[in-house]
Amino acid sequence: MLVAGQRPNALITLDLTGLSCPGPILGVKKLIMQLREGEVMLLVSDCPGTKDDLFSWAARTHNRVLSTERHRGDAVGYFIERGPASRPVADAEIDARGSVCPGPIAVAHRALAGLRGGALLKLTSDCPGDRADIEAWARRTGIGLEDVVALGAHTWEFYLRKP
């Protein structure tokens, strides 16, 4: 619980001073997926559009901007708390638990090929290497990684959007 006047304790700091919008929001979106509900990150930005963009994004994604503080120059620090993992509604779901790498990626690739552009696939996997492998695969192929939800030790739900 945050006491009035108390500075939030940020687990990680993302300093994006010098980067214009939408860079700061994209950075927050990617990094906050790595936090658990209730954990806090600090974004430092000097982009004038960050405040409006950040508060709007936080309201849509159930995250919270806890407080702000002035930093050097025109930079502002935004303390952002990860909200409850709101899971998007998927167009298709695959449960690949029990499948070893690269099986989950191969199954997801085939499933995405059969979906329309913009469709969302929920892939559940418990392969220990999958988180890093799927994130790298999504980056390489242009597939949107909308969210990653940790279900337990080495078990995740990946929300993959077909371009």
Side-chain angles (χ1 to χ4, degrees):
M1 173 182 242
L2 185 64
V3 177
Q6 181 182 5
R7 185 179 194 261
N9 184 23
L11 185 64
I12 51 177
T13 299
L14 180 62
D15 188 340
L16 295 179
T17 53
L19 190 63
S20 61
C21 292
I25 298 303
L26 295 175
V28 167
K29 181 181 177 189
K30 182 175 182 176
L31 202 53
I32 205 156
M33 288 178 13
Q34 298 174 23
L35 299 178
R36 290 189 171 95
E37 182 178 341
E39 291 181 330
V40 177
M41 70 176 289
L42 171 61
L43 166 68
V44 180
S45 174
D46 58 356
C47 175
T50 296
K51 179 180 179 182
D52 290 339
D53 289 350
L54 184 63
F55 278 87
S56 175
W57 168 84
R60 285 191 327 272
T61 60
H62 307 290
N63 295 294
R64 280 192 327 145
V65 179
L66 299 174
S67 65
T68 61
E69 66 182 18
R70 299 300 283 154
H71 279 248
R72 65 194 175 287
D74 292 332
V76 176
Y78 301 90
F79 290 91
I80 307 156
E81 179 183 56
R82 169 79 190 245
S86 59
R87 295 175 173 109
V89 176
D91 297 295
E93 297 183 19
I94 295 176
D95 190 337
R97 285 179 276 202
S99 178
V100 295
C101 301
I105 290 175
V107 170
H109 177 73
R110 283 192 302 273
L112 285 166
L115 296 174
R116 72 186 185 315
L120 187 66
L121 171 68
K122 178 177 110 177
L123 171 67
T124 306
S125 177
D126 60 359
C127 182
D130 262 0
R131 178 154 188 171
D133 291 347
I134 288 174
E135 289 174 352
W137 170 68
R139 272 192 310 275
R140 277 193 323 272
T141 60
I143 293 167
L145 183 59
E146 297 284 317
D147 202 359
V148 179
V149 179
L151 300 179
H154 302 293
T155 305
W156 302 275
E157 288 177 349
F158 300 93
Y159 291 86
L160 303 161
R161 183 148 329 261
K162 182 176 181 176

